[in-house]
Amino acid sequence: MLNVPTQSFPAPSSQQRVSPSGQSERNKVALKPGHSLMDWIRFSKSGKDLTGLRGRLIEVTQEELQKHNKREDCWTCIRGMVYNVTPYMDYHPGGEEELMKAAGIDGTDLFDQVHRWVNYESMLKECLVGRMAAKATTAIKAIIPPPSPTGFTPPPTVAPPPDKDSRPRYDWFQTDATVHLVVYAKRKLPSSGCTIADLVAGVLRLEVLLEKMSYMIHLRLADEVERSVTVHTAVSSGRIQVTIRKQTNGKWTSLGQPLEFHNTFIRKKDRALFFRDCVLVSKTEVNHNTHLFRLQLPHGCIMHVPVGKHVYLKALIEDTEVVRPYTPVDQNLTAAPHHSSLGSDLYLMIKVYPDGVLTPHLNSLCIGDQVSISGPEGIFSLRLLRDVTHLYLLAAGTGFTPMARLICAALGDMEAIRKTKLLFFNWREEDILWRRELDELAANKERFQVEYVLSDTPEGWTGRKGRVDESMLNEFLTRPEGSKCYICVCGPTAFTELTVSLLKQLGFTEEELHLFQG
């Protein structure tokens, strides 16, 4: 089936980078002037009564909730809290129709499919009606939205956690100077890295990502330690060893005190996002409206971001928490190939939208300022490229970002891939990201080829022009005899939907496609 990510890539053209869920891709609507996310934030702070209850909080029964199911009177429940979303209708990027799916019912499941990473408590706090009555635990659940316009069916529900015998386990041992925690994953580990360690003020949070599952160790350590962590992974045996230095030599009688979610093994999508504060080290201009942000992870943090995964950035904008996803890139296209963003720095290529919500804030940061960043999200895996001989990348605008590290990986030690071709769509020539590096790579690597497509062509332009169409793709996507092809697509929603439709017409199957969707 189609590899649609459970944490989808944001549409580069969208002010509100939304829809990180599975196949429930949203049909974004054109918002009226004055109805952006920033406009909503300001409106919600205006002091107007958005609940209709004059500041009172009430207990809501299921029967009462069901009465408020109309466009002009719409309540919904998320995790036991009831909100009057009527004032938000005209501000919702997915439009009135999507919100109405949860009108008068428990919308938690629908919300989690589309917005798991959004801080709805902050976004809708002025719309809070009250709490659901305790007996309403069986409130009607929101229906799952229909398949997206791409026509592909959503991925099946993730199976429940494996039986107890296959669950990871941990143990520990120590020397006078160090303490060692060992996780036995009971399966082969991905070579791209799967361990995230955060050590802050004596609290260790260790998360091991195992495909769609997450195993967590969460402990307040028994004694004071240095704020440095080392992780050693034995891929084939599934063994992960975490080493921490003690501040004072001596023997511990225990590893420490268990904290929330310690020793749990659950679906990754059910694990709440965890953020750590990173420091802006540098900001380099890529083109006239895009910068490369270099962010340094805090001491005590080790995080691998595998190729094709993204992270979330979080900031407080006018007292409202705003969260957006971005895909890390390498420092440049000539960096030594590796399958995860490893080390103390992350590089994010971010286009600044003057009328955006988060990007103007990021652009205003000074060197040394902090940015909150989550761990890696998304389902893309380089295993999808096993036995692939021809890799085709179709990118529009900043949809190039997941392709950047994918190119490096394909040209690195993935020798089975005989040809990697990038078809890169932009509005103008000056919008092309890393063009000089892409041209140099194509000149020096026989296995790589890049072609540019412009909507607004300058005089003398000899490359492709116009929008994506069937004849363009048919010419670009060759199928040599005996080859195995794979296509990755990323860009604004309209681009993605049209491209997928054209690929289907050309006979490409769902198994040959991966969408970094928005």
Coordinates of all heavy atoms in Angstrom, one line a residue, residues 2-5 9 152 307-309 327 379-386 388 390-410 414 417 419-425 448 468 473 476-477 484-492 495-497 499-500 503 508-518:
L2 N 0.3 2.4 -0.3 CA 1.0 3.6 -0.3 C 1.6 4.0 1.0 O 0.9 3.9 2.1 CB 0.1 4.8 -0.8 CG 0.7 6.2 -0.8 CD1 1.7 6.2 -1.9 CD2 -0.4 7.2 -1.0
N3 N 2.8 4.4 1.0 CA 3.5 4.7 2.3 C 3.2 6.2 2.7 O 4.0 7.0 2.6 CB 5.0 4.6 2.1 CG 5.4 3.1 1.8 OD1 5.1 2.2 2.5 ND2 5.9 2.9 0.5
V4 N 2.0 6.4 3.1 CA 1.6 7.7 3.5 C 2.0 7.9 5.0 O 1.6 7.1 5.8 CB 0.1 7.9 3.4 CG1 -0.3 9.3 4.0 CG2 -0.4 7.8 2.0
P5 N 2.8 8.9 5.3 CA 3.3 9.0 6.7 C 2.2 9.3 7.7 O 1.3 10.0 7.5 CB 4.3 10.2 6.6 CG 3.8 11.0 5.4 CD 3.2 10.0 4.5
F9 N 4.5 15.4 6.1 CA 5.3 16.6 5.9 C 4.4 17.8 5.7 O 3.4 17.7 5.0 CB 6.2 16.4 4.7 CG 7.2 17.4 4.5 CD1 8.4 17.5 5.3 CD2 7.0 18.4 3.6 CE1 9.3 18.4 5.1 CE2 7.9 19.4 3.5 CZ 9.1 19.4 4.2
F152 N -6.0 7.1 -2.5 CA -5.4 5.9 -1.8 C -6.1 5.7 -0.5 O -6.5 6.6 0.2 CB -3.9 6.2 -1.6 CG -3.1 6.2 -2.9 CD1 -2.4 7.3 -3.2 CD2 -3.1 5.1 -3.7 CE1 -1.6 7.3 -4.4 CE2 -2.4 5.1 -4.9 CZ -1.6 6.2 -5.2
V307 N 17.0 9.7 8.1 CA 16.7 10.3 6.8 C 15.2 10.2 6.6 O 14.6 9.2 6.8 CB 17.4 9.6 5.6 CG1 16.9 10.0 4.3 CG2 18.9 9.9 5.7
G308 N 14.5 11.3 6.2 CA 13.1 11.3 5.9 C 12.2 11.6 7.0 O 11.0 11.8 6.9
K309 N 12.8 11.7 8.2 CA 12.0 12.0 9.4 C 12.0 13.5 9.6 O 12.9 14.2 9.1 CB 12.6 11.4 10.7 CG 12.7 9.9 10.6 CD 11.4 9.1 10.7 CE 11.7 7.6 10.8 NZ 10.4 6.9 10.9
T327 N 11.8 19.4 8.3 CA 12.7 18.2 8.1 C 14.2 18.7 8.1 O 14.5 19.5 7.3 CB 12.4 17.6 6.7 OG1 11.0 17.2 6.7 CG2 13.3 16.4 6.5
I379 N 7.2 8.1 9.2 CA 7.3 6.7 9.0 C 8.3 6.3 7.9 O 8.5 5.1 7.7 CB 6.0 6.0 8.7 CG1 5.4 6.5 7.4 CG2 5.0 6.2 9.8 CD1 4.3 5.6 6.8
F380 N 8.8 7.3 7.2 CA 9.8 6.9 6.1 C 10.9 6.2 6.6 O 11.5 6.4 7.7 CB 10.3 8.2 5.4 CG 11.2 7.9 4.3 CD1 10.7 7.5 3.0 CD2 12.5 7.9 4.4 CE1 11.5 7.2 2.0 CE2 13.4 7.5 3.4 CZ 12.9 7.2 2.1
S381 N 11.3 5.2 5.9 CA 12.5 4.3 6.2 C 13.3 4.0 5.0 O 12.7 3.8 3.9 CB 12.1 3.0 6.9 OG 13.1 2.2 7.0
L382 N 14.6 4.0 5.1 CA 15.4 3.7 4.0 C 15.2 2.2 3.5 O 15.6 1.9 2.4 CB 16.9 3.9 4.3 CG 17.3 5.4 4.4 CD1 18.8 5.5 4.8 CD2 17.1 6.1 3.1
R383 N 14.6 1.4 4.4 CA 14.3 0.1 4.0 C 13.4 0.0 2.8 O 13.3 -1.0 2.1 CB 13.7 -0.7 5.2 CG 14.7 -1.0 6.3 CD 14.0 -1.7 7.4 NE 12.8 -1.0 7.9 CZ 12.0 -1.6 8.7 NH1 12.1 -2.8 9.1 NH2 10.9 -0.9 9.2
L384 N 12.6 1.1 2.6 CA 11.7 1.2 1.4 C 12.5 1.1 0.1 O 11.9 0.8 -0.9 CB 10.9 2.4 1.5 CG 9.9 2.6 2.7 CD1 9.3 4.0 2.7 CD2 8.8 1.6 2.6
L385 N 13.8 1.5 0.2 CA 14.6 1.5 -1.0 C 15.4 0.3 -1.2 O 16.3 0.3 -2.1 CB 15.5 2.8 -0.9 CG 14.8 4.1 -0.6 CD1 15.9 5.2 -0.7 CD2 13.7 4.4 -1.7
R386 N 15.2 -0.7 -0.4 CA 15.9 -2.0 -0.7 C 15.6 -2.5 -2.1 O 14.4 -2.6 -2.5 CB 15.4 -3.1 0.3 CG 16.0 -2.9 1.7 CD 15.6 -3.9 2.7 NE 14.1 -3.9 2.8 CZ 13.5 -4.6 3.8 NH1 14.2 -5.4 4.6 NH2 12.2 -4.6 3.9
V388 N 15.9 -1.1 -4.8 CA 15.6 -0.1 -5.8 C 16.8 0.2 -6.6 O 17.9 0.4 -6.1 CB 15.1 1.2 -5.1 CG1 15.0 2.4 -6.0 CG2 13.7 0.9 -4.5
H390 N 16.4 2.6 -9.4 CA 16.2 4.0 -10.0 C 15.2 4.8 -9.0 O 14.1 4.4 -8.8 CB 15.5 4.0 -11.4 CG 16.5 3.5 -12.4 ND1 16.9 2.2 -12.5 CD2 17.1 4.1 -13.4 CE1 17.7 2.0 -13.5 NE2 17.9 3.2 -14.1
L391 N 15.8 5.8 -8.4 CA 15.1 6.6 -7.4 C 14.8 8.0 -8.0 O 15.6 8.7 -8.5 CB 16.0 6.8 -6.2 CG 15.4 7.7 -5.1 CD1 14.1 7.2 -4.5 CD2 16.4 7.9 -4.0
Y392 N 13.5 8.3 -8.1 CA 13.0 9.6 -8.6 C 12.4 10.5 -7.5 O 11.6 10.0 -6.7 CB 11.9 9.3 -9.7 CG 12.5 8.5 -10.9 CD1 12.1 7.2 -11.1 CD2 13.3 9.1 -11.8 CE1 12.6 6.5 -12.2 CE2 13.8 8.4 -12.9 CZ 13.5 7.1 -13.1 OH 14.0 6.4 -14.1
L393 N 12.9 11.7 -7.5 CA 12.4 12.6 -6.5 C 11.7 13.8 -7.1 O 12.3 14.5 -8.0 CB 13.6 13.1 -5.7 CG 14.6 12.0 -5.1 CD1 15.8 12.7 -4.5 CD2 13.9 11.1 -4.2
L394 N 10.5 14.0 -6.8 CA 9.7 15.1 -7.4 C 9.4 16.1 -6.2 O 8.6 15.8 -5.3 CB 8.4 14.6 -8.0 CG 8.5 13.4 -8.9 CD1 7.2 12.9 -9.4 CD2 9.4 13.7 -10.1
A395 N 10.0 17.3 -6.3 CA 9.9 18.3 -5.2 C 9.5 19.6 -5.7 O 9.9 20.0 -6.8 CB 11.2 18.4 -4.5
A396 N 8.7 20.3 -4.9 CA 8.3 21.7 -5.2 C 8.6 22.6 -4.1 O 8.3 22.3 -2.9 CB 6.8 21.8 -5.5
G397 N 9.4 23.7 -4.3 CA 9.7 24.6 -3.3 C 10.5 24.0 -2.1 O 11.5 23.2 -2.4
T398 N 10.1 24.3 -0.9 CA 10.8 23.7 0.2 C 10.4 22.3 0.5 O 10.9 21.6 1.4 CB 10.5 24.5 1.5 OG1 9.1 24.8 1.6 CG2 11.3 25.8 1.5
G399 N 9.6 21.7 -0.4 CA 9.5 20.3 -0.5 C 10.8 19.6 -0.8 O 10.8 18.3 -0.8
F400 N 11.8 20.3 -1.1 CA 13.1 19.8 -1.4 C 13.8 19.3 -0.1 O 14.6 18.4 -0.2 CB 14.0 20.9 -2.0 CG 15.4 20.6 -2.0 CD1 16.0 19.7 -2.9 CD2 16.3 21.3 -1.2 CE1 17.3 19.4 -2.9 CE2 17.7 21.0 -1.2 CZ 18.2 20.1 -2.1
T401 N 13.4 19.8 1.0 CA 14.1 19.5 2.3 C 14.3 18.0 2.6 O 15.3 17.5 2.9 CB 13.6 20.3 3.5 OG1 12.2 20.0 3.6 CG2 13.9 21.8 3.3
P402 N 13.2 17.2 2.5 CA 13.4 15.8 2.8 C 14.2 15.1 1.7 O 14.8 14.0 1.9 CB 12.0 15.2 2.8 CG 11.2 16.1 2.0 CD 11.8 17.5 2.2
M403 N 14.3 15.7 0.5 CA 15.0 15.1 -0.6 C 16.5 15.3 -0.4 O 17.3 14.5 -0.9 CB 14.6 15.7 -1.9 CG 13.1 15.7 -2.2 SD 12.3 14.1 -2.1 CE 10.7 14.5 -2.6
A404 N 16.9 16.3 0.3 CA 18.4 16.7 0.4 C 19.2 15.5 1.0 O 20.2 15.1 0.4 CB 18.5 17.9 1.2
R405 N 18.8 15.0 2.2 CA 19.5 14.0 2.8 C 19.3 12.6 2.1 O 20.1 11.7 2.2 CB 19.1 13.9 4.3 CG 19.6 15.1 5.1 CD 19.1 15.1 6.5 NE 19.8 14.0 7.2 CZ 19.2 13.3 8.2 NH1 17.9 13.6 8.5 NH2 19.8 12.3 8.8
L406 N 18.1 12.5 1.5 CA 17.8 11.3 0.7 C 18.8 11.1 -0.5 O 19.3 10.0 -0.8 CB 16.4 11.3 0.2 CG 15.8 10.0 -0.3 CD1 16.0 8.8 0.6 CD2 14.3 10.2 -0.6
I407 N 19.1 12.3 -1.1 CA 20.1 12.3 -2.2 C 21.4 11.8 -1.7 O 22.1 11.0 -2.3 CB 20.2 13.7 -2.8 CG1 18.9 14.0 -3.6 CG2 21.4 13.8 -3.8 CD1 18.8 15.5 -4.0
C408 N 21.9 12.4 -0.5 CA 23.2 12.0 0.0 C 23.2 10.5 0.4 O 24.2 9.9 0.1 CB 23.5 12.9 1.3 SG 23.7 14.6 0.9
A409 N 22.1 10.0 0.9 CA 22.1 8.6 1.3 C 22.2 7.7 0.1 O 22.9 6.7 0.0 CB 20.9 8.3 2.1
A410 N 21.4 8.1 -1.0 CA 21.4 7.3 -2.2 C 22.7 7.2 -2.9 O 23.1 6.2 -3.5 CB 20.3 7.8 -3.1
M414 N 24.4 3.3 -0.7 CA 23.3 2.5 -1.3 C 23.6 2.3 -2.8 O 23.1 2.9 -3.7 CB 22.0 3.3 -1.2 CG 21.7 3.6 0.3 SD 20.1 4.4 0.5 CE 19.0 3.1 0.2
I417 N 21.3 1.5 -5.9 CA 20.6 2.6 -6.6 C 21.5 3.1 -7.7 O 22.5 3.9 -7.5 CB 20.2 3.7 -5.7 CG1 19.2 3.2 -4.6 CG2 19.5 4.9 -6.5 CD1 18.8 4.2 -3.6
K419 N 20.7 5.1 -10.3 CA 20.4 6.4 -10.8 C 19.4 7.1 -9.8 O 18.4 6.5 -9.4 CB 19.7 6.4 -12.2 CG 19.7 7.8 -12.9 CD 21.2 8.1 -13.4 CE 21.2 9.4 -14.2 NZ 22.6 9.7 -14.7
T420 N 19.8 8.3 -9.4 CA 18.9 9.2 -8.6 C 18.6 10.5 -9.4 O 19.6 11.2 -9.7 CB 19.5 9.5 -7.2 OG1 19.7 8.3 -6.5 CG2 18.6 10.5 -6.4
K421 N 17.3 10.7 -9.6 CA 17.0 11.9 -10.4 C 16.0 12.8 -9.7 O 15.0 12.3 -9.1 CB 16.4 11.5 -11.8 CG 17.3 10.7 -12.7 CD 16.6 10.2 -13.9 CE 16.1 11.3 -14.8 NZ 15.5 10.8 -16.1
L422 N 16.3 14.1 -9.7 CA 15.5 15.1 -9.0 C 14.9 16.0 -10.0 O 15.6 16.6 -10.8 CB 16.4 15.9 -8.0 CG 15.7 17.2 -7.4 CD1 14.6 16.8 -6.5 CD2 16.8 18.0 -6.6
L423 N 13.5 16.1 -10.0 CA 12.8 17.1 -10.8 C 12.3 18.1 -9.8 O 11.4 17.9 -9.0 CB 11.6 16.4 -11.5 CG 10.9 17.2 -12.6 CD1 11.8 17.7 -13.7 CD2 9.7 16.4 -13.1
F424 N 12.8 19.3 -9.9 CA 12.7 20.4 -8.9 C 11.9 21.5 -9.4 O 12.3 22.3 -10.3 CB 14.1 20.8 -8.4 CG 14.1 21.6 -7.1 CD1 13.0 21.8 -6.4 CD2 15.4 22.1 -6.7 CE1 13.1 22.6 -5.2 CE2 15.4 22.8 -5.5 CZ 14.3 23.0 -4.8
F425 N 10.7 21.7 -8.9 CA 9.8 22.8 -9.3 C 9.9 24.0 -8.5 O 9.9 23.9 -7.2 CB 8.3 22.3 -9.3 CG 8.0 21.2 -10.2 CD1 8.4 19.8 -9.9 CD2 7.4 21.4 -11.4 CE1 8.1 18.8 -10.7 CE2 7.1 20.3 -12.3 CZ 7.4 19.0 -11.9
F448 N 23.8 10.8 -10.3 CA 22.8 11.8 -10.0 C 22.5 12.7 -11.1 O 23.4 13.1 -11.9 CB 23.3 12.6 -8.8 CG 22.4 13.7 -8.4 CD1 21.1 13.4 -7.8 CD2 22.7 15.0 -8.5 CE1 20.3 14.5 -7.4 CE2 21.9 16.1 -8.1 CZ 20.6 15.8 -7.6
V468 N 3.6 20.7 -13.4 CA 3.7 19.3 -13.6 C 2.6 18.8 -14.5 O 1.4 19.2 -14.3 CB 3.8 18.6 -12.3 CG1 2.5 18.8 -11.5 CG2 4.1 17.1 -12.5
L473 N 6.2 14.2 -16.8 CA 6.6 13.0 -16.0 C 6.9 11.8 -16.8 O 7.8 11.0 -16.5 CB 5.4 12.7 -15.0 CG 5.1 13.7 -14.0 CD1 4.0 13.3 -13.1 CD2 6.4 14.0 -13.1
F476 N 10.4 12.2 -18.0 CA 11.4 12.2 -16.9 C 11.5 10.8 -16.2 O 12.6 10.4 -15.9 CB 11.0 13.2 -15.8 CG 11.9 13.3 -14.7 CD1 13.1 14.0 -14.9 CD2 11.7 12.8 -13.5 CE1 14.0 14.2 -13.8 CE2 12.5 12.9 -12.4 CZ 13.7 13.6 -12.6
L477 N 10.4 10.1 -16.1 CA 10.4 8.8 -15.3 C 10.6 7.6 -16.3 O 9.6 7.0 -16.7 CB 9.1 8.7 -14.5 CG 8.8 9.8 -13.6 CD1 7.4 9.7 -13.1 CD2 9.8 9.8 -12.4
K484 N 14.0 -1.5 -10.9 CA 13.0 -1.3 -9.8 C 12.9 0.1 -9.4 O 13.9 0.7 -8.9 CB 13.3 -2.2 -8.6 CG 12.2 -2.1 -7.5 CD 12.5 -3.0 -6.3 CE 11.4 -2.8 -5.3 NZ 11.6 -3.7 -4.1
C485 N 11.8 0.8 -9.7 CA 11.7 2.2 -9.5 C 11.0 2.6 -8.2 O 10.2 1.8 -7.8 CB 11.0 2.9 -10.7 SG 11.8 2.6 -12.3
Y486 N 11.4 3.7 -7.7 CA 10.7 4.2 -6.5 C 10.6 5.8 -6.6 O 11.6 6.4 -7.1 CB 11.4 3.9 -5.2 CG 10.5 4.0 -4.0 CD1 9.6 3.0 -3.7 CD2 10.6 5.1 -3.1 CE1 8.8 3.0 -2.6 CE2 9.8 5.2 -2.0 CZ 8.9 4.1 -1.7 OH 8.1 4.2 -0.6
I487 N 9.5 6.3 -6.3 CA 9.3 7.8 -6.4 C 8.9 8.4 -5.1 O 8.0 7.9 -4.4 CB 8.1 8.0 -7.5 CG1 8.5 7.3 -8.8 CG2 8.0 9.5 -7.7 CD1 7.3 7.4 -9.8
C488 N 9.5 9.5 -4.8 CA 9.2 10.3 -3.6 C 8.7 11.6 -4.0 O 9.3 12.3 -4.9 CB 10.4 10.5 -2.7 SG 11.0 8.9 -1.9
V489 N 7.6 12.1 -3.4 CA 7.0 13.4 -3.8 C 6.8 14.2 -2.6 O 6.4 13.8 -1.5 CB 5.6 13.1 -4.4 CG1 4.9 14.4 -4.9 CG2 5.6 12.1 -5.6
C490 N 7.1 15.5 -2.7 CA 6.9 16.5 -1.6 C 6.7 17.9 -2.2 O 7.4 18.3 -3.1 CB 8.1 16.5 -0.7 SG 7.8 17.5 0.8
G491 N 5.7 18.5 -1.6 CA 5.4 19.9 -2.0 C 4.1 20.3 -1.5 O 3.5 19.6 -0.7
P492 N 3.6 21.5 -1.9 CA 2.3 21.9 -1.5 C 1.2 20.9 -1.8 O 1.4 20.1 -2.8 CB 2.1 23.2 -2.3 CG 3.5 23.7 -2.6 CD 4.3 22.5 -2.8
F495 N 0.1 20.5 -5.5 CA 1.2 19.9 -6.3 C 1.2 18.4 -6.1 O 1.2 17.5 -7.0 CB 2.5 20.5 -6.0 CG 3.7 19.7 -6.5 CD1 4.1 19.9 -7.8 CD2 4.4 18.8 -5.7 CE1 5.2 19.2 -8.3 CE2 5.5 18.1 -6.2 CZ 5.9 18.3 -7.5
T496 N 1.1 18.0 -4.8 CA 1.1 16.6 -4.4 C 0.0 15.8 -5.0 O 0.1 14.7 -5.6 CB 1.2 16.4 -2.9 OG1 2.4 17.0 -2.4 CG2 1.2 14.9 -2.5
E497 N -1.2 16.4 -4.9 CA -2.4 15.7 -5.4 C -2.4 15.5 -6.9 O -2.7 14.4 -7.4 CB -3.7 16.4 -4.9 CG -4.0 16.4 -3.5 CD -5.2 17.3 -3.1 OE1 -5.8 17.9 -4.0 OE2 -5.5 17.3 -1.9
T499 N 0.3 15.5 -8.8 CA 1.4 14.6 -9.2 C 1.0 13.1 -9.0 O 1.3 12.3 -9.8 CB 2.7 15.0 -8.4 OG1 3.0 16.3 -8.6 CG2 3.8 14.0 -8.7
V500 N 0.4 12.9 -7.8 CA 0.0 11.5 -7.6 C -1.0 11.0 -8.6 O -1.0 9.9 -9.1 CB -0.6 11.4 -6.1 CG1 -1.3 10.0 -6.0 CG2 0.5 11.5 -5.1
L503 N 0.8 10.2 -11.7 CA 1.6 9.0 -11.6 C 0.8 7.7 -11.7 O 1.2 6.7 -12.3 CB 2.4 9.0 -10.2 CG 3.5 10.0 -10.1 CD1 4.0 10.1 -8.7 CD2 4.6 9.7 -11.1
F508 N 2.2 3.8 -12.3 CA 2.9 3.5 -11.1 C 2.0 3.0 -10.0 O 0.9 3.6 -9.8 CB 3.7 4.8 -10.7 CG 4.9 5.1 -11.6 CD1 4.8 6.0 -12.7 CD2 6.1 4.4 -11.4 CE1 5.8 6.3 -13.5 CE2 7.2 4.7 -12.3 CZ 7.0 5.6 -13.3
T509 N 2.5 2.1 -9.3 CA 1.7 1.5 -8.2 C 1.9 2.1 -6.9 O 2.9 2.9 -6.7 CB 2.0 0.0 -8.1 OG1 3.3 -0.2 -7.6 CG2 1.8 -0.7 -9.4
E510 N 1.0 1.9 -6.0 CA 1.1 2.4 -4.6 C 2.4 2.0 -4.0 O 3.0 2.8 -3.2 CB -0.1 2.0 -3.8 CG -1.4 2.5 -4.3 CD -2.6 2.0 -3.6 OE1 -2.4 1.4 -2.5 OE2 -3.7 2.2 -4.0
E511 N 2.9 0.8 -4.2 CA 4.1 0.3 -3.6 C 5.4 1.0 -4.1 O 6.4 0.9 -3.6 CB 4.3 -1.2 -3.9 CG 3.3 -2.1 -3.1 CD 1.9 -2.1 -3.7 OE1 1.8 -1.6 -4.9 OE2 0.9 -2.5 -3.0
E512 N 5.2 1.8 -5.2 CA 6.4 2.5 -5.8 C 6.4 3.9 -5.4 O 7.2 4.7 -5.9 CB 6.3 2.4 -7.3 CG 6.4 1.0 -7.9 CD 6.3 0.9 -9.3 OE1 5.2 1.3 -9.8 OE2 7.2 0.4 -10.1
L513 N 5.5 4.4 -4.5 CA 5.4 5.8 -4.1 C 5.5 6.0 -2.7 O 5.0 5.2 -1.8 CB 4.0 6.3 -4.6 CG 3.6 6.2 -6.1 CD1 2.2 6.7 -6.3 CD2 4.6 7.0 -7.0
H514 N 6.1 7.2 -2.3 CA 6.1 7.7 -0.9 C 5.8 9.1 -1.0 O 6.5 9.9 -1.7 CB 7.4 7.4 -0.2 CG 7.3 7.9 1.2 ND1 6.9 7.1 2.3 CD2 7.6 9.1 1.8 CE1 6.9 7.8 3.4 NE2 7.3 9.0 3.1
L515 N 4.8 9.6 -0.2 CA 4.5 11.0 -0.2 C 4.9 11.6 1.1 O 4.5 11.1 2.2 CB 2.9 11.2 -0.3 CG 2.2 10.5 -1.5 CD1 0.8 10.9 -1.6 CD2 3.0 10.8 -2.8
F516 N 5.7 12.6 1.1 CA 6.0 13.5 2.2 C 4.9 14.5 2.1 O 5.1 15.5 1.5 CB 7.3 14.1 2.2 CG 8.5 13.1 2.2 CD1 9.1 12.7 1.1 CD2 8.9 12.6 3.5 CE1 10.2 11.8 1.2 CE2 10.0 11.7 3.5 CZ 10.6 11.3 2.4
Q517 N 3.7 14.3 2.8 CA 2.5 15.1 2.5 C 2.4 16.3 3.3 O 3.0 16.4 4.4 CB 1.3 14.2 2.6 CG 1.0 13.4 1.4 CD -0.3 12.6 1.6 OE1 -0.3 11.6 2.2 NE2 -1.4 13.2 1.0
G518 N 1.6 17.2 2.9 CA 1.2 18.4 3.6 C -0.3 18.6 3.7 O -1.1 17.8 3.2

